[in-house]
Amino acid sequence: MKNFTLDERLLADTLPVADLPLCRLLLMNDARYPWVVLVPRHADISEVFELSATDQQQLWREATQLGEAMKTALGGDKLNIATLGNVVSQLHVHVVVRMHTDATWPAPVWGNGSPQPYDLDGQVQMRDRLLAYSQGLKS
């Protein structure tokens, strides 16, 4: 059985935060949006239906509970949760808090403008916030 490894594009575009019971929690390195990516720690999975029923429930639990905590704490107007996989086939879930005032509202975040990477202080602050938001999800 192969070990879980993170796709190189996800490694390049994100910052590590924590491992949740099922997923690796990553911060998308784009300070324009509160945006995380959840990657189930299973090798060679590209579709949700490839997970067991229990893991499918856990994936949805992690995405929705983290998303709710982020939206509430950050005063978001909308929560976007999506699995696309057209560019990165490794199963991953985007959780994005959207604001009516954000850079691309109401258009999707993908392919709009140029990412604005976090500076070191911003990385630390957002990582600490995400760790607090995900506290109830830890095993």
Side-chain angles (χ1 to χ4, degrees):
M1 183 167 157
K2 289 179 72 176
N3 289 330
F4 165 78
T5 57
L6 199 57
D7 183 278
E8 290 180 16
R9 288 162 291 199
L10 289 173
L11 276 171
D13 292 344
T14 63
L15 304 163
V17 177
D19 280 345
L20 302 177
L22 176 67
C23 295
R24 177 138 317 143
L25 172 58
L26 306 167
L27 173 62
M28 185 61 78
N29 194 11
D30 187 350
R32 298 177 301 161
Y33 313 100
W35 182 357
V36 299
V37 176
L38 297 172
V39 184
R41 292 186 317 278
H42 288 284
D44 299 325
I45 297 287
S46 61
E47 305 294 345
V48 173
F49 63 75
E50 294 176 291
L51 294 171
S52 69
T54 300
D55 282 350
Q56 289 178 39
Q57 291 173 339
Q58 183 63 31
L59 176 62
W60 191 242
R61 183 177 303 114
E62 290 176 14
T64 57
Q65 288 180 356
L66 181 59
E68 178 184 17
M70 289 172 63
K71 182 178 185 260
T72 299
L74 299 170
D77 295 307
K78 181 71 178 104
L79 179 65
N80 295 166
I81 298 177
T83 62
L84 300 175
N86 298 343
V87 175
V88 175
S89 63
Q90 181 175 33
L91 178 59
H92 61 287
V93 177
H94 296 268
V95 179
V96 188
V97 175
R98 300 298 306 273
M99 318 283 190
H100 291 139
T101 57
D102 73 34
T104 58
W105 181 269
V109 295
W110 296 274
N112 279 311
S114 297
Q116 296 175 4
Y118 284 93
D119 62 22
L120 190 53
D121 288 340
Q123 285 180 35
V124 170
Q125 288 176 11
M126 186 54 92
R127 183 177 185 278
D128 288 349
R129 291 179 95 167
L130 291 170
L131 288 171
Y133 304 153
S134 65
Q135 227 25 60
L137 295 169
K138 299 272 180 151
S139 53

